[in-house]
Amino acid sequence: MKIVPGQIRTVHDCSEADHQPLIPGLPDEIAEQCLLRLPYPYHSLFRSVSSAWNRTLSNPNFLSSKKTHPYLFIFSSDHRNHHRWLSFDPRHRRWFTLPPPPSPSPPIGFATAADSLSGSLFVLGGLLSDDSATPLRNLLSYSPTTNSWSASLSPMPTPRSFFAAGAVNGKIVSAGGGGVDVYDPAEDRWTTSSAAGNGRWGGLGRYDAAVVKGRMHVTEGWTWPFNSSPRAGVYDAEVDTWREMKVGMREGWTGASVVLEGGRLVVVSECGERRLKVYEEGMDEWVYVEGEGVPEEIGRPYAVGGAERTVYVVAGGLDVGIGRLGCDGKGGWRVEWEVVKGPKVFEGWVPQHCQVLYA
């Protein structure tokens, strides 16, 4: 990635003589590459290094260009009903604890969405306790840029719990359990979809959801005793309509999904050897990825995320299975797994949500 200095740094009313180098002895374009790799939670500390660092790290153009590698953002809990938001840097194997979100912080039934355009994590709805019957309307957002939460956002028009949410073309879509609402982060404004009155999809419960090519796919999944086919629908935000999910996609969607580069939909199969499956839209069928399934060390329950050609499976104790996809030499895909053990301090913690953002 080439960073053009003039696009990053804006100098107001200062001469060349007043210019302070970012790192003495290095050209600024090289120094900027170094700053791009600083861990995002420490930016507030790095700004105090010098006025040049403060100017650069505070510049929105610089921050928007910081797309160096993905972080996993994970919501987890333990047996004492304690809850914690964490982020994991898979490249450097580093964990960070996020600041606690503003109250109320729902422990169950909420949905999450990661919007790459705004670079923010969104947390929507939920229930305050296991025995609570009242869904919430709350909307929170977390910004890696400032390492902070914001609760001063417009609440959802429809209270929701156990529903689907996803980022579609820079907007956050919440669907199921009462229709569809769409949030515009730039305007801090919700609109209620005209498709919300469609009875078949208005009450669709969430098993899994994925945004592929600008459309949100929602499936209830297979449940015991497997005596009826799961309901599943596709919401097209551009034309504000629901349609039936293709039969092959619906019938073969047997696990938690991630969307990798090129809009490729991958499922971590819940059954058998827990192998990965890739959906082939032209054939309307799922094709197994060559290689082993999710490593045995990665037990259930788990949460999944994905970026580029990599699948992340986060399990109890916050062990992380990293599955890297590559070509198998025969026109298909093959996966190689690596397991990163979670720190001992996370023993007993279980993940509930996992989202990926570049930070």
Side-chain angles (χ1 to χ4, degrees), residues 226-278:
F226 310 119
N227 56 10
S228 62
S229 181
R231 291 190 304 167
V234 180
Y235 176 69
D236 190 329
E238 186 173 342
V239 294
D240 191 27
T241 58
W242 283 97
R243 62 175 173 82
E244 294 280 351
M245 184 180 289
K246 289 184 177 181
V247 174
M249 174 183 272
R250 183 188 69 217
E251 300 291 318
W253 196 320
T254 56
S257 66
V258 296
V259 180
L260 303 184
E261 67 179 15
R264 188 168 294 275
L265 180 62
V266 177
V267 154
V268 181
S269 183
E270 295 275 1
C271 55
E273 298 176 333
R274 298 190 297 170
R275 292 174 61 190
L276 302 185
K277 298 192 294 186
V278 177

Side-chain angles (χ1 to χ4, degrees), residues 62-237:
F62 176 83
L63 297 172
S64 65
S65 70
K66 192 177 186 296
K67 305 293 184 183
T68 54
H69 62 282
Y71 283 76
L72 277 60
F73 292 87
I74 300 160
F75 180 79
S76 60
S77 60
D78 68 2
H79 66 281
R80 296 166 296 181
N81 206 31
H82 294 164
H83 308 281
R84 182 182 295 177
W85 276 99
L86 302 153
S87 66
F88 176 62
D89 176 356
R91 187 173 67 166
H92 296 113
R93 310 292 193 263
R94 290 180 296 197
W95 287 91
F96 302 98
T97 299
L98 273 61
S103 183
S105 177
I108 60 172
F110 63 89
T112 61
D115 177 33
S116 59
L117 292 182
S118 65
S120 297
L121 170 72
F122 292 88
V123 180
L124 307 89
L127 299 171
L128 288 177
S129 65
D130 290 325
D131 57 359
S132 173
T134 304
L136 301 175
R137 299 175 58 209
N138 64 307
L139 172 67
L140 306 175
S141 69
Y142 171 79
S143 170
T145 298
T146 59
N147 190 28
S148 63
W149 293 88
S150 174
S152 58
L153 304 176
S154 297
M156 292 191 297
T158 308
R160 298 183 189 274
S161 61
F162 300 103
F163 61 104
V168 182
N169 300 328
K171 296 182 179 180
I172 306 301
V173 176
S174 62
V180 179
D181 295 318
V182 181
Y183 177 71
D184 185 343
E187 301 290 336
D188 186 29
R189 180 168 55 89
W190 285 92
T191 56
T192 298
S193 163
S194 60
N198 188 322
R200 175 165 175 77
W201 306 117
L204 183 64
R206 177 192 186 273
Y207 169 74
D208 194 28
V211 176
V212 183
K213 298 178 181 178
R215 299 180 180 90
M216 191 159 77
H217 300 64
V218 185
T219 173
E220 288 186 321
W222 290 99
T223 57
W224 181 261
F226 310 119
N227 56 10
S228 62
S229 181
R231 291 190 304 167
V234 180
Y235 176 69
D236 190 329

Side-chain angles (χ1 to χ4, degrees), residues 264 280 287 326-334:
R264 188 168 294 275
E280 298 292 346
V287 178
C327 298
D328 65 359
K330 299 178 290 185
W333 297 94
R334 182 176 183 82

Side-chain angles (χ1 to χ4, degrees), residues 38-47 57 94-96 144 147:
L38 296 174
Y40 80 89
Y42 301 144
H43 274 198
S44 59
L45 295 175
F46 293 137
R47 290 189 186 102
L57 291 173
R94 290 180 296 197
W95 287 91
F96 302 98
N147 190 28

Side-chain angles (χ1 to χ4, degrees), residues 303-323:
V304 302
E308 299 169 354
R309 292 190 179 184
T310 303
V311 175
Y312 303 98
V313 184
V314 187
L318 303 192
D319 295 340
V320 182
I322 302 176

